[in-house]
Amino acid sequence: MTLSERQNRILALLNQAGGSLTSSELTQAFEVSVQTIRKDLNILSHQGLVQRVHGGITLPHQNRNLSFSNRLVINLAAKQAIAQAVAARLPEGASVFLGIGTTPQQVARALLHHPGLQVITNNLNAAVTLCQNPNIETLVAGGRIRPSDQDLMGEDTTRFLRRFQVNFGILGAGGINAKGELMDFSLEESHLSRAIIDCSDQCILVTDSSKYLRSAPVRTGCISEVDMFVTEQLPAPINALLRDTHTEVICTSTQETPHEPT
């Protein structure tokens, strides 16, 4: 089920508000009736995207990621814009890691007409997409398939990625906390993300704004470790954290860099 524009905006507001909103705040923000907001909240709650509480909603407290099908529809337009921005910055002939998740999957789709790359990935959907472009050499890591997430995991997968040193590593994150730490939902995911960070000349983080303050239990690293952060909307606290770092920030809503990296 595809989320409506208002439902996506509710999720964005919930993140910006620190994870809690009242129904009254939502009806005022969108100038709609309580009944209309209640329908939206019921849909979001049914998909596990919010938790209903008395008088409003909060971000769900989860030790597991949302289902793959749910993640596919959250902020889809934003993820597509992020993907196009990344694809436009990859030069012909570059070597690339492409990590797990729905935003890296959108990056693969944005690369359908790229003149040529070498891509190493454990993202099955990305691999199937990339094989449609004969100018892209795709190397797929072995390992254990996670049917729920349509990717490959495990020690063999991580070991395979660590055999390379690539030009660009593209990864997502389960969440970004208030300290700017990159969070994941399992140690396996964290190990893979860490391999991409460690074995890339330039690391590109791709996440939409719904990941800000999203709960996930495993700490992978810090946003200041990445060279480029591509998002559709940058929360002010994250922008402040990155102001004195080397990280370049691209906001697709404006196609501007909020600050120059040091």
Side-chain angles (χ1 to χ4, degrees):
M1 180 180 181
T2 301
L3 298 183
S4 69
E5 179 182 354
R6 186 172 58 242
Q7 289 158 5
N8 274 310
R9 288 176 62 195
I10 288 172
L11 293 176
L13 281 176
L14 183 60
N15 281 279
Q16 293 168 16
S20 179
L21 282 172
T22 66
S23 298
S24 176
E25 289 172 328
L26 289 169
T27 56
Q28 292 177 20
F30 294 102
E31 299 181 344
V32 295
S33 68
V34 173
Q35 291 77 12
T36 297
I37 286 296
R38 185 177 295 124
K39 290 178 182 178
D40 287 330
L41 299 188
N42 285 340
I43 291 171
L44 294 173
S45 176
H46 180 72
Q47 296 195 44
L49 304 178
V50 303
Q51 182 174 336
R52 296 295 301 271
V53 296
H54 181 68
I57 54 171
T58 64
L59 287 170
H61 297 287
Q62 296 174 316
N63 289 324
R64 291 185 175 184
N65 205 350
L66 299 170
S67 71
F68 188 79
S69 59
N70 280 350
R71 284 182 282 136
L72 278 174
V73 301
I74 298 175
N75 280 353
L76 178 58
K79 293 174 182 178
Q80 291 170 334
I82 291 167
Q84 291 292 340
V86 172
R89 286 166 171 78
L90 297 181
E92 183 177 357
S95 56
V96 178
F97 280 138
L98 196 54
I100 63 173
T102 55
T103 307
Q105 179 180 336
Q106 291 300 326
V107 173
R109 293 180 178 178
L111 293 172
L112 272 178
H113 302 292
H114 198 281
L117 297 167
Q118 181 188 61
V119 178
I120 301 98
T121 187
N122 65 317
N123 187 322
L124 292 175
N125 286 296
V128 169
T129 297
L130 293 171
C131 73
Q132 299 175 58
N133 184 340
N135 296 317
I136 295 180
E137 177 188 9
T138 306
L139 305 178
V140 182
R144 173 178 55 83
I145 293 177
R146 294 195 303 179
S148 60
D149 292 86
Q150 300 174 21
D151 55 28
L152 294 138
M153 284 284 160
E155 292 183 9
D156 289 340
T157 313
T158 303
R159 190 178 300 114
F160 181 80
L161 295 188
R162 286 195 173 274
R163 293 173 63 185
F164 298 88
Q165 181 69 30
V166 304
N167 302 131
F168 300 93
I170 301 169
L171 75 157
I176 303 173
N177 67 19
K179 299 177 182 178
E181 293 173 322
L182 309 181
M183 310 300 292
D184 282 299
F185 286 91
S186 74
L187 287 172
E188 288 184 322
E189 291 177 347
S190 179
H191 291 326
L192 284 162
S193 293
R194 193 69 243 176
I196 292 175
I197 294 171
D198 293 343
C199 300
S200 302
D201 298 335
Q202 295 184 53
C203 186
I204 303 174
L205 177 67
V206 291
T207 70
D208 65 275
S209 57
S210 70
K211 298 296 181 70
Y212 179 57
L213 295 184
R214 185 162 173 241
S215 176
V218 183
R219 185 184 297 109
T220 294
C222 185
I223 196 171
S224 62
E225 294 182 81
V226 306
D227 299 285
M228 182 183 293
F229 176 34
V230 186
T231 185
E232 94 286 11
Q233 183 179 358
L234 186 68
I238 296 297
N239 189 31
L241 287 172
L242 291 175
R243 190 166 289 121
D244 296 323
T245 72
H246 74 281
T247 303
E248 180 183 2
V249 179
I250 304 296
C251 286
T252 60
S253 59
T254 60
Q255 284 296 315
E256 295 179 353
T257 303
H259 65 269
E260 292 295 331
T262 58

